[in-house]
Amino acid sequence: VKSNKAPYCIPMPPPNVTGSLHMGHALTMTLQDILSRFERMQGRDVLWQPGTDHAGIATQLVVERLLEKEGSSRHKLGRENFLKRVWEWKEQSGNTITSQLRRLGATPDWERERFTMDPDLNKGVNKVFVQLYNEKLIYKDKRLVNWDPKMHTAVSDLEVEQVEIKGNMWHFKYPIKGMADTFITIATTRPETMLGDTAVAVHPEDERYKKLIGKMVVLPITGREIPIIADDYADPEKGSGAVKITPAHDFNDFEVGKRHKLPMLSILDKDAKIAAAEGAQIPEAYIGLDRFVARKQVVAEIEALGLLDKIEPQVHAVPHDEKSKSVVLEPFLTDQWYCDAVTLAKPAIEAVETGKTQFIPKTWEKTYFEWMRNIQPWCISRQLWWGHQIPAWYDDNGKVFVAETEEEAQKLAGAGVKLTRDPDVLDTWFSSALWPFSTLGWPEKTEEVKRYYPAETLITGFDIIFFWVARMMMMGIHFMKDVPFKKVYIHALVRDEKGQKMSKTKGNVVDPLDVIDQYGADALRFTMAALAAQGRDVKWSNSRAEGYRNFATKLWNASRFCEMNGCALKIDFKPQGNKHTLNRWIVSELAATSVKVSDALKAFRYNDAASALYQFTWGTFCDWYIEFTKPLINGSDAAVKQETQDTTGWVLDQILLLLNPFMPYLTEELHAHLLGKEKAGKEDWLQTKMWPVFDKAVIDSKAQEEVNWVVKLISEIRSVRSDMNVPAAAQIKMQLKGLNATNQQRLNTYLDIIKRLARLSEVEASENAAPKGSIQTVIDEANIILPLADVVDIAQERERLKKEIDKANANIERINKMLLNQAFLAKAPEEVVQEQTEARTEAENLKAKLSQALKQLEAA
RNA sequence: GGGCGCUUAGCUCAGUUGGUAGAGCAUCUCGUUUACACCGAGAGGGUCGGGAGUUCGAGUCUCUCAGCGCCCACCA
């Protein structure tokens, strides 16, 4: 704790221990690292809190597969040994991801690394559970859950993926008791569930069935009698208008069943095989059949009974487990622990409404609200072994005692009462929900809790807004009486170049480690920043990465240039002391860039920050400044030479500083180099330096104007030369006609530079008429005349001038359309009118000069 | 069914209060200059998905149509 600095906390979304670095990590961690480094350079006491998540199901699956290969299983091992095995695996392989993060250059506070199943974090989990239980915000309930018949566990609604499957709609005729040859037809996509039907529902207003309400149906196969009930749920428009009700195997039917107090017959076991349910009267032949086998069996028997009305092929959505994909989940009636999310969500919604927590971009708040306002009870128990075992104990009568430890539970139950612990574990997201404070040592009253809660910023992907962000909000507010973070920056997901989600099955996965091998970690990071515009997705592009690798090389070469030309870094260099315009200019441009970059980062506009740095470094510094100053460095004016060398070295170092959050490896290396050291000591590290803030005095707008004119002149000459196919090697003459005093002065000052960069042999400012066979162009008030009598192609020059004149004409016309419009003059702001008027004058001036040049050409 | 978003140069994308459309890559031309060919100089290329509206003025605001994508819910 560096107590003299303002704290800045950013909790790292803990990657799964099972994971290895993928592009999504590379993106999110890069963005977090850039921000962490940036804030550190602002002098903040930054805590970027790292750690890993135990990832219940995922990890258990990994180890179970391992066991399977060994011919063993978790059941053979038993719970205790199995857990031992998982821990062993975690010790060996669990830090793969964190070491990969180091390769990426991520700099969280590694010494504070936490794991969601660390002892102190477990303590927090138990405390939260017990308190919520005592507040009646956690309770046990028998409801339908999505059941995974392979893993034998409840699965979160959020982890259910609806997959479109080609199936059938079977229409069955159910006979009505006491009415010979009268049937009521129902339709179903899951015939086997009919064994558990406990009613048939029709709409109360449905004329077709009104008279049947209250009658009994004799359920085929089982012979059970079930009532025909009236319920709004039955939609007369759908199917036959009559619907079978299977409360224990369908979420809607469950609600209907509750309304009508229907029996709930659970006819499947944990493996989703048909099981004998009390009172269900399922024939012996069905018991133990797999659900899909039973389906065929039921259909066959119904058909044999002559009760099959028809079969229609139909595509319908079937719930699958998001992770394993292959497993069809089953609505299953079980006892589970629930958390009263409805209650907890209220203040969490309010916190975002009042702006205590802000989403960036703001549009994600809608997503958050949408879910939070319709939130369902959160099923927090899982029938797994790997995770936080629920701190609840039962006596022989099934009475439950919830306490943080077994001793306390025993106290509650009374001495001598034999207690058995609830075997279930908590949903992984339960412990992740506590991450912003559990990692700081809560429930202990630590310095860190006081200092770093709430966090300033959370950076994460939109895919876990519900899973994680929302839950942290609920738990944070409930237990800490304050939001867990003030800002949530939601970034997109990384997709491939075609916008497809990366997946192993599609084979379009880009491995960030391969990218690092190929282009370097710095290039990967810079690319991520450059691609991270606040849109929906980040499409990975190898060509972009290649471009930024080139950028790194460019910077490296610039540094080499500095070294070769005596441009060293002087620690006490003061840019405001510069005298030469070029040096004053580059410092001004640098200052402007620095502001752009920090403004962009403060607004999470990483791409803007990246492009400002790219442009300044490559365009302004390398392409112009270094080229401009070569003559100065090789020149005879010792004072100017020294100042230029010092400025060059210093600006390069400032670039390294600004670029350090993005490209930490290269910039540190070059910085050390600039200091003349093989390897820099800690005290020299850029990441410990302050972000440059420039005095306004350093910005010299006159210098900027002046140099911009020179740039424009050179560009103009180069463009014409190229257009007219003047050989690059040819040194030609130039005459400037009509030059005003200011620019004449500038011309003299930069004569050498202009000659060098525009490949000119002689330059003169004179009012003489353009010699025959010249090519001409215009810069502001002056004509640029390049006499090339022997080389120039008159016809080509004529074409070129005409084209330029056309352009000027079009421009004038466009502006006239505005300026001759009374409504525009009346309603547009004065400054816009002014602007356009000036633009017109300029364009007319240009046109006049070009036309004159054309006339001269024709005359010659 | 409800919600969100996207459609801008050949490709991938920027474009923050409405005021003459930008970048990288790709393409084409030319390369003198010992920091750099992972380079330098120059050029071409867009009626901003279609239509309507608001406005003096729309890539930018509103409506509408079309195509694409995502999320949630449902599917007897």
Side-chain angles (χ1 to χ4, degrees):
Chain A
V1 176
K2 299 144 248 172
S3 55
N4 56 333
K5 296 178 177 176
Y8 182 97
C9 180
I10 166 168
M12 174 191 288
N16 291 353
V17 276
T18 51
S20 59
L21 196 74
H22 57 61
M23 291 303 261
H25 294 126
L27 171 68
T28 195
M29 296 305 178
T30 296
L31 299 185
Q32 291 174 50
D33 192 53
I34 288 172
L35 205 62
S36 297
R37 287 171 183 266
F38 175 69
E39 290 297 341
R40 259 179 236 132
M41 292 169 90
Q42 304 297 316
R44 306 281 294 266
D45 161 25
V46 173
L47 169 61
W48 181 15
Q49 173 62 53
T52 46
D53 192 287
H54 67 280
I57 297 185
T59 311
Q60 178 156 337
L61 264 174
V62 167
V63 178
E64 282 198 55
R65 278 194 200 124
L66 231 76
L67 292 174
E68 206 178 330
K69 270 186 203 157
E70 296 167 10
S72 180
S73 78
R74 74 176 156 116
H75 297 288
K76 277 186 197 162
L77 281 182
R79 185 164 186 149
E80 202 175 318
N81 286 326
F82 176 73
L83 287 181
K84 225 186 247 169
R85 195 58 204 273
V86 182
W87 277 106
E88 274 169 30
W89 178 88
K90 189 248 166 193
E91 297 310 327
Q92 283 168 15
S93 318
N95 51 10
T96 305
I97 182 107
T98 54
S99 64
Q100 289 170 333
L101 283 179
R102 286 175 169 89
R103 258 195 93 192
L104 185 68
T107 51
D109 295 66
W110 287 118
E111 75 284 357
R112 292 193 50 81
E113 187 178 343
R114 295 290 184 274
F115 178 54
T116 44
M117 282 172 67
D118 281 344
D120 46 338
L121 273 74
N122 293 345
K123 235 169 114 182
V125 167
N126 285 341
K127 189 182 164 73
V128 164
F129 187 94
V130 173
Q131 188 178 325
L132 289 175
Y133 176 79
N134 290 333
E135 292 169 339
K136 309 231 178 313
L137 293 172
I138 280 182
Y139 53 91
K140 217 168 178 188
D141 199 4
K142 197 182 196 86
R143 302 167 53 105
L144 279 184
V145 294
N146 294 293
W147 183 261
D148 182 333
K150 276 238 168 68
M151 289 290 288
H152 288 183
T153 180
V155 173
S156 160
D157 295 351
L158 290 169
E159 282 166 288
V160 176
E161 191 178 280
Q162 301 289 347
V163 182
E164 301 257 288
I165 299 278
K166 273 186 209 162
N168 287 315
M169 181 73 81
W170 286 272
H171 296 252
F172 293 169
K173 296 190 290 186
Y174 284 0
I176 296 172
K177 188 190 175 192
M179 298 174 75
D181 289 334
T182 312
F183 302 93
I184 188 162
T185 303
I186 55 88
T188 181
T189 54
R190 304 184 50 207
E192 71 282 9
T193 63
M194 64 84 64
L195 298 171
D197 284 359
T198 55
V200 171
V202 296
H203 195 274
E205 305 300 322
D206 194 330
E207 294 301 331
R208 293 171 292 179
Y209 300 116
K210 249 183 173 170
K211 57 183 184 296
L212 294 179
I213 294 167
K215 298 258 191 255
M216 298 302 272
V217 160
V218 181
L219 190 64
I221 300 181
T222 68
R224 268 193 294 124
E225 292 180 10
I226 59 174
I228 296 175
I229 60 170
D231 196 286
D232 286 345
Y233 166 65
D235 183 348
E237 305 292 316
K238 278 185 191 164
S240 62
V243 55
K244 64 193 266 312
I245 301 295
T246 321
H249 297 283
D250 181 283
F251 288 93
N252 287 310
D253 293 5
F254 180 76
E255 295 303 321
V256 176
K258 275 213 298 205
R259 278 202 286 279
H260 295 269
K261 301 200 167 52
L262 298 173
M264 308 220 172
L265 299 177
S266 211
I267 59 144
L268 294 173
D269 63 13
K270 289 181 177 183
D271 293 311
K273 286 182 178 149
I274 304 294
E278 205 184 320
Q281 301 174 27
I282 300 172
E284 195 59 38
Y286 282 91
I287 306 298
L289 287 186
D290 177 83
R291 51 189 160 158
F292 301 114
V293 178
R295 178 172 299 176
K296 283 183 189 151
Q297 200 69 40
V298 166
V299 173
E301 189 164 351
I302 291 284
E303 189 169 17
L305 290 168
L307 297 173
L308 181 61
D309 184 43
K310 58 179 169 179
I311 303 174
E312 296 170 321
Q314 199 197 33
V315 174
H316 57 112
V318 178
H320 282 65
D321 183 76
E322 196 178 52
K323 294 207 179 76
S324 56
K325 303 263 187 208
S326 56
V327 181
V328 177
L329 298 172
E330 193 63 49
F332 193 57
L333 196 59
T334 53
D335 285 313
Q336 300 284 348
W337 289 93
Y338 288 88
C339 177
D340 182 355
V342 179
T343 302
L344 292 175
K346 276 183 191 138
I349 292 168
E350 204 182 293
V352 175
E353 282 170 341
T354 57
K356 286 193 77 176
T357 293
Q358 250 179 300
F359 279 76
I360 298 144
K362 199 174 168 60
T363 163
W364 289 109
E365 287 180 2
K366 280 185 196 162
T367 308
Y368 173 83
F369 286 140
E370 171 69 17
W371 191 68
M372 289 291 260
R373 286 173 182 150
N374 298 301
I375 200 163
Q376 299 295 310
W378 175 16
C379 176
I380 52 172
S381 44
R382 296 289 181 274
Q383 288 63 54
L384 302 173
W385 288 352
W386 175 243
H388 300 90
Q389 194 170 355
I390 290 174
W393 285 261
Y394 304 94
D395 66 14
D396 288 342
N397 302 320
K399 193 175 174 208
V400 66
F401 301 93
V402 172
E404 287 184 48
T405 60
E406 181 154 14
E407 292 77 60
E408 281 169 54
Q410 193 70 61
K411 259 189 230 163
L412 291 175
V417 177
K418 193 174 164 279
L419 292 179
T420 319
R421 186 164 186 179
D422 194 309
D424 291 356
V425 300
L426 288 164
D427 178 10
T428 299
W429 297 101
F430 191 87
S431 55
S432 328
L434 318 180
W435 189 251
F437 50 97
S438 64
T439 50
L440 301 176
W442 188 91
E444 302 303 323
K445 291 194 173 82
T446 61
E447 269 305 301
E448 285 84 354
V449 172
K450 231 195 278 170
R451 190 168 173 73
Y452 297 112
Y453 192 95
E456 197 78 22
T457 309
L458 177 80
I459 297 185
T460 192
F462 64 79
D463 52 329
I464 54 175
I465 291 178
F466 303 150
F467 282 114
W468 195 47
V469 179
R471 268 96 181 243
M472 282 191 288
M473 289 292 287
M474 294 193 268
M475 291 301 194
I477 292 170
H478 192 77
F479 285 91
M480 305 298 290
K481 307 291 168 231
D482 197 356
V483 295
F485 26 76
K486 295 174 193 160
K487 287 181 182 172
V488 186
Y489 175 63
I490 302 289
H491 61 250
L493 259 40
V494 182
R495 297 169 190 282
D496 74 2
E497 280 185 80
K498 289 172 197 137
Q500 302 272 309
K501 222 170 167 173
M502 289 188 185
S503 76
K504 280 179 196 157
T505 43
K506 279 186 204 146
N508 60 349
V509 177
V510 178
D511 185 343
L513 297 171
D514 289 346
V515 176
I516 291 176
D517 288 341
Q518 201 177 350
Y519 302 119
D522 285 337
L524 170 60
R525 294 169 59 109
F526 202 88
T527 309
M528 285 300 182
L531 292 176
Q534 294 181 358
R536 263 251 163 168
D537 32 61
V538 169
K539 282 182 199 151
W540 177 254
S541 157
N542 260 322
S543 70
R544 289 289 287 264
E546 196 180 322
Y548 295 124
R549 186 272 321 266
N550 295 352
F551 177 58
T553 310
K554 184 77 182 177
L555 189 64
W556 190 82
N557 278 313
S559 154
R560 220 160 65 98
F561 171 84
C562 286
E563 192 188 3
M564 293 167 72
N565 287 280
C567 305
L569 174 61
K570 289 206 174 135
I571 297 297
D572 57 350
F573 178 76
K574 294 276 186 300
Q576 51 272 47
N578 276 348
K579 298 213 168 51
H580 198 282
T581 309
L582 283 172
N583 294 331
R584 296 181 64 78
W585 165 73
I586 193 65
V587 173
S588 303
E589 294 291 329
L590 169 71
T593 303
S594 153
V595 171
K596 263 188 225 165
V597 175
S598 40
D599 283 355
L601 284 182
K602 281 175 199 158
F604 300 95
R605 304 184 65 90
Y606 291 91
N607 57 320
D608 287 348
S611 80
L613 284 165
Y614 184 95
Q615 266 174 33
F616 176 75
T617 304
W618 200 318
T620 311
F621 183 67
C622 292
D623 287 346
W624 288 107
Y625 179 74
I626 288 184
E627 293 307 324
F628 277 153
T629 53
K630 276 176 183 169
L632 304 186
I633 285 176
N634 297 318
S636 51
D637 187 329
V640 169
K641 177 176 173 166
Q642 189 63 54
E643 181 187 292
T644 304
Q645 284 172 323
D646 293 351
T647 306
T648 306
W650 179 80
V651 171
L652 175 66
D653 195 55
Q654 294 295 301
I655 289 173
L656 298 179
L657 206 50
L658 296 177
L659 216 42
N660 179 258
F662 298 81
M663 304 187 133
Y665 290 110
L666 179 64
T667 53
E668 291 289 359
E669 187 188 327
L670 294 181
H671 175 67
H673 209 68
L674 205 51
L675 289 171
K677 299 185 180 180
E678 196 47 47
K679 219 174 177 171
K682 224 175 184 168
E683 69 285 355
D684 291 323
W685 285 352
L686 285 172
Q687 56 170 303
T688 66
K689 300 282 183 285
M690 289 295 284
W691 185 263
V693 178
F694 296 97
D695 200 290
K696 272 197 185 132
V698 122
I699 295 182
D700 183 341
S701 54
K702 248 185 89 187
Q704 287 177 299
E705 252 175 63
E706 192 163 316
V707 176
N708 285 343
W709 181 81
V710 178
V711 166
K712 204 160 126 189
L713 176 64
I714 294 169
S715 303
E716 201 60 50
I717 299 166
R718 282 171 171 173
S719 173
V720 180
R721 284 181 64 126
S722 177
D723 274 356
M724 296 306 295
N725 304 322
V726 178
Q731 299 262 353
I732 60 175
K733 287 186 191 170
M734 175 178 74
Q735 179 196 345
L736 283 170
K737 192 178 161 194
L739 211 55
N740 67 27
T742 313
N743 288 334
Q744 189 135 12
Q745 180 73 44
R746 288 171 177 167
L747 182 67
N748 291 335
T749 312
Y750 299 98
L751 197 59
D752 286 348
I753 288 164
I754 293 167
K755 280 167 85 173
R756 186 183 139 94
L757 296 186
R759 302 296 298 162
L760 302 171
S761 55
E762 267 175 62
V763 173
E764 63 165 352
S766 116
E767 294 312 303
N768 293 342
K772 278 184 188 173
S774 300
I775 53 179
Q776 289 197 47
T777 185
V778 177
I779 175 169
D780 298 338
E781 80 288 353
N783 282 40
I784 299 173
I785 299 164
L786 303 172
L788 287 163
D790 40 345
V791 212
V792 75
D793 177 335
I794 303 285
Q796 197 187 349
E797 170 67 353
R798 187 189 299 126
E799 279 314 300
R800 194 186 62 84
L801 282 171
K802 275 185 178 162
K803 231 171 106 186
E804 292 297 313
I805 292 166
D806 284 349
K807 249 192 226 166
N809 256 334
N811 204 16
I812 292 165
E813 242 174 78
R814 184 185 55 78
I815 300 170
N816 270 338
K817 233 168 115 186
M818 273 188 264
L819 290 176
L820 299 177
N821 180 346
Q822 286 308 314
F824 174 77
L825 294 174
K827 293 187 178 173
E830 206 171 318
E831 62 205 58
V832 174
V833 176
Q834 184 71 24
E835 236 170 68
Q836 295 301 330
T837 310
E838 279 166 25
R840 181 171 63 181
T841 313
E842 210 174 294
E844 278 171 346
N845 178 38
L846 177 67
K847 183 190 165 186
K849 285 191 153 47
L850 290 169
S851 305
Q852 202 191 352
L854 182 62
K855 214 180 277 172
Q856 281 172 15
L857 188 76
E858 301 292 8

